[in-house]
Amino acid sequence: MATRSGWLDRLKTGLRKTGSSITTVFTGAQIDDALYEDLETALLMADAGVQATEFLLADLKRRVKDTRATDATQVKALLQDAIADMLAPLEKPLTVGVYHPTVIMVAGVNGAGKTTSIGKLTKHLADAGATVLLAAADTFRAAAREQLAVWADRNQVEIVSQQGADPSAVSFDAVAAGRARDLDVVLVDTAGRLPTQKHLMEELTKIRRVVTKADITAPHEVLLVIDGNTGQNALAQVKAFDDSVQLTGLIVTKLDGTAKGGVLCAIAREKPVPVYFVGVGERLEDLQTFRAREFAQALVG
Ligand SMILES: Nc1nc2c(ncn2[C@@H]2O[C@H](COP(=O)(O)OP(=O)(O)OP(=O)(O)O)[C@@H](O)[C@H]2O)c(=O)[nH]1
Ligand SMILES: [Mg+2]
């Protein structure tokens, strides 16, 4: 738990930039139109998006009326409740163990934190006693394969990697090997790509399709890694990747930086996909499970 509290401190620090602008709205004593207007601006600045912002404002006004809240501190607590309720549907644990192996595909734009997150996730899984196989489906760059190999080495797990091979062929081999060796988890690391790069999105769809050929029930999870600093574009990424590969979950990284965590509200409102993990740095313990209430409190600090 010490690890989690350290992680939470980093999350709070990361979100403080955004959070403080929301918090300052509540420094005055009056609950009036000006307060709601300032709050609207602060939420939009935090990348919550128009839909989620409007929903939150209406929801908050209702809560204020129902509770007959009279001071700004109470209203702030009610906003935390409203955000926590909005984010609650995104809270869902990643389950492994139902399928052998559980095949997890990981996708995202360039540099979002896919490989690092896979490394951390491998550590979490291995610590919990799961046997893990990594698939280096980012076959084009030698550095990408090496980076994943370092994580495999560090966690003492096996890796399927083949220079210049077709990414879907490597994924197929990895899933087949995972089945043959009766492993618990196969994690497929893919190359970064933009949703606008049609041929690369098709390559991703192909990986998914070929994985299903290796195991009719797979992939069991398709995760999108998003950089917490991406702002509103994160929502567009969720939509585009979901269209191509049917996402089952998200990992939101880099919430330790100048992140604007409000985008999770936009995702919850417009394209709800569970958030399995939140990353706040490059160390192993910096990846932790997402909890809606905790996040809401960190955002409205
Ligand atoms: N501050 C911070 N840095 C992170 C976090 N997660 C990843 N990084 C850093 O972000 C950079 C890119 O991470 P990678 O894991 O290589 O990203 P990727 O998505 O695999 O990148 P490509 O494979 O090139 O598309 C690295 O320098 C990581 O150390 C995080 O939660 N916080
Ligand atoms: Mg990578």
Side-chain angles (χ1 to χ4, degrees):
M1 277 331 275
T3 320
R4 190 167 181 101
S5 70
W7 168 86
L8 189 56
D9 286 342
R10 286 173 71 85
L11 177 67
K12 282 182 183 156
T13 313
L15 294 180
R16 194 161 292 156
K17 266 213 167 133
T18 329
S20 63
S21 65
I22 299 177
T23 310
T24 48
V25 172
F26 300 103
T27 47
Q30 296 279 86
I31 305 172
D32 51 16
D33 285 349
L35 181 142
Y36 287 115
E37 269 170 36
D38 289 349
L39 182 58
E40 181 174 21
T41 308
L43 287 170
L44 290 172
M45 296 285 287
D47 283 328
V50 175
Q51 283 193 36
T53 297
E54 279 174 10
F55 182 91
L56 280 173
L57 283 174
D59 189 19
L60 180 63
K61 284 179 187 169
R62 195 161 43 238
R63 285 171 198 256
V64 169
K65 205 171 153 214
D66 290 351
T67 58
R68 298 196 174 87
T70 49
D71 69 78
T73 318
Q74 286 172 298
V75 181
K76 184 174 137 181
L78 291 173
L79 177 65
Q80 286 180 340
D81 291 346
I83 294 177
D85 284 355
M86 176 179 263
L87 297 181
L90 304 186
E91 190 179 306
K92 189 184 165 208
L94 174 73
T95 317
V96 300
V98 177
Y99 299 96
H100 286 275
T102 297
V103 180
I104 305 175
M105 251 179 87
V106 180
V109 303
N110 310 68
K114 296 176 290 299
T115 308
T116 312
S117 297
I118 286 176
K120 295 177 198 169
L121 198 50
T122 304
K123 162 87 173 143
H124 277 280
L125 293 165
D127 281 354
T131 47
V132 181
L133 177 69
L134 300 181
D138 186 349
T139 56
F140 189 65
R141 291 182 306 128
R145 291 193 312 278
E146 281 158 20
Q147 189 190 358
L148 194 68
V150 169
W151 282 110
D153 211 34
R154 206 181 282 176
N155 290 305
Q156 302 205 315
V157 301
E158 290 175 72
I159 179 168
V160 173
S161 179
Q162 202 190 328
Q163 185 192 341
D166 190 276
S168 53
V170 170
S171 308
F172 183 93
D173 286 352
V175 175
R179 288 184 67 170
R181 297 177 209 169
D182 196 27
L183 301 177
D184 296 317
V185 182
V186 174
L187 276 166
V188 182
D189 187 24
T190 63
R193 69 201 74 220
L194 294 171
T196 47
Q197 295 170 304
K198 199 162 173 275
H199 63 294
L200 291 179
M201 291 306 276
E202 278 165 6
E203 180 189 85
L204 199 61
T205 314
K206 185 178 170 194
I207 295 175
R208 193 189 200 289
R209 206 167 51 234
V210 169
V211 159
T212 308
K213 282 197 179 137
D215 176 348
I216 188 79
T217 65
H220 308 99
E221 300 284 353
V222 182
L223 307 187
L224 178 70
V225 177
I226 46 182
D227 177 335
N229 299 298
T230 315
Q232 278 288 293
N233 189 251
L235 181 62
Q237 288 174 20
V238 175
K239 287 178 178 166
F241 278 89
D242 186 59
D243 281 347
S244 294
V245 283
Q246 295 85 54
L247 300 175
T248 61
L250 305 177
I251 297 178
V252 185
T253 63
K254 309 189 192 182
L255 285 175
D256 51 317
T258 52
K260 297 187 170 188
V263 72
L264 287 197
C265 296
I267 290 170
R269 197 67 203 143
E270 295 181 52
K271 190 77 199 170
V273 177
V275 178
Y276 286 134
F277 298 98
V278 169
V280 296
E282 299 170 61
R283 297 169 310 168
L284 277 174
E285 61 271 28
D286 290 338
L287 191 74
Q288 299 280 336
T289 48
F290 168 76
R291 288 185 201 154
R293 173 149 290 277
E294 201 178 62
F295 194 89
Q297 283 168 349
L299 189 61
V300 186

